[in-house]
């Protein structure tokens, strides 16, 4: 597997995170400028932002939960030279699930859909980690 093929799903996940960061910063700036929220109302991380802004902020925050384990696994797969086609396919499924969850989170925010998509991504990530651990512990290629 080429390093580009291995890292491309990770780059897409990073782009999602950075895109959400920029979006969140823009809507927060607009909320403060418009007077929808005053700095004193959110100075200690109180959730006093307008609902739409909170929705985007929570979606951004979610990118520091499961994806952290994905980032770590990708690096470990590269270092140990265990990244293969199975890893890349599962990585893309994980990232597509993250994109879909972010879409639902920032649009309709239907909790059941969002939770189901989250579960798919979590299950795929668990499978990825189990495969990696078994290969490492059993000395498999």
């Amino acid at each position: 597997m080429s390093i580009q093929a291995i890292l491309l799903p990770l780059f897409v996940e990073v782009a999602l995170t950075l895109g959400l960061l920029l979006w969140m910063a823009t809507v927060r700036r607009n909320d403060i400028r418009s007077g929808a929220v005053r700095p004193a109302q959110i100075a200690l991380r109180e959730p006093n932002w307008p609902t739409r802004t909170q929705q985007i902020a929570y979606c951004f925050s979610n990118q520091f939960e499961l994806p952290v384990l994905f980032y770590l696994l990708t690096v470990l797969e590269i270092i140990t030279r265990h990244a293969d086609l199975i890893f890349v396919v599962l990585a893309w499924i994980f990232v597509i699930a993250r994109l879909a969850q972010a879409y639902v989170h920032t649009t309709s925010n239907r909790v059941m859909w969002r939770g189901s998509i989250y579960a798919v991504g979590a299950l795929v990530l668990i499978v990825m980690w189990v495969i990696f651990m078994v290969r490492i512990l059993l000395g498999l290629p």
Side-chain angles (χ1 to χ4, degrees), residues 80-126:
T80 62
R81 300 184 190 277
H82 280 81
D84 59 4
L85 182 60
I86 294 169
F87 171 79
V88 172
V89 168
L90 291 173
W92 274 116
I93 294 169
F94 175 77
V95 170
I96 290 167
R98 298 302 302 168
L99 289 165
Q101 186 207 13
Y103 176 78
V104 171
H105 202 163
T106 58
T107 57
S108 67
N109 200 25
R110 291 191 176 156
V111 175
M112 295 304 289
W113 287 8
R114 200 176 86 212
S116 296
I117 297 167
Y118 182 92
V120 168
L123 182 60
V124 168
L125 189 60
I126 290 167

Side-chain angles (χ1 to χ4, degrees), residues 7-138:
L7 287 174
L8 189 56
L10 183 141
F11 292 160
V12 171
E13 177 62 31
V14 168
L16 170 63
T17 303
L18 295 176
L20 287 166
L21 171 66
L22 295 173
W23 189 10
M24 179 184 68
T26 301
V27 295
R28 283 182 170 182
R29 184 192 68 228
N30 292 343
D31 288 342
I32 290 173
R33 285 185 177 170
S34 72
V37 68
R38 289 177 291 120
Q41 294 174 299
I42 48 89
L44 295 175
R45 297 187 63 158
E46 299 94 339
N48 292 325
W49 295 99
T51 301
R52 179 74 177 135
T53 305
Q54 280 294 102
Q55 191 175 0
I56 297 164
Y58 286 142
C59 186
F60 171 70
S61 179
N62 285 168
Q63 303 316 309
F64 298 96
E65 295 172 357
L66 285 182
V68 171
L69 294 173
F70 171 69
Y71 295 142
L72 176 61
L73 181 59
T74 301
V75 170
L76 290 172
E77 291 271 0
I78 292 168
I79 290 170
T80 62
R81 300 184 190 277
H82 280 81
D84 59 4
L85 182 60
I86 294 169
F87 171 79
V88 172
V89 168
L90 291 173
W92 274 116
I93 294 169
F94 175 77
V95 170
I96 290 167
R98 298 302 302 168
L99 289 165
Q101 186 207 13
Y103 176 78
V104 171
H105 202 163
T106 58
T107 57
S108 67
N109 200 25
R110 291 191 176 156
V111 175
M112 295 304 289
W113 287 8
R114 200 176 86 212
S116 296
I117 297 167
Y118 182 92
V120 168
L123 182 60
V124 168
L125 189 60
I126 290 167
V127 168
M128 292 170 75
W129 270 100
V130 168
I131 290 170
F132 178 71
M133 288 186 280
V134 167
R135 286 178 173 174
I136 292 297
L137 294 173
L138 298 180

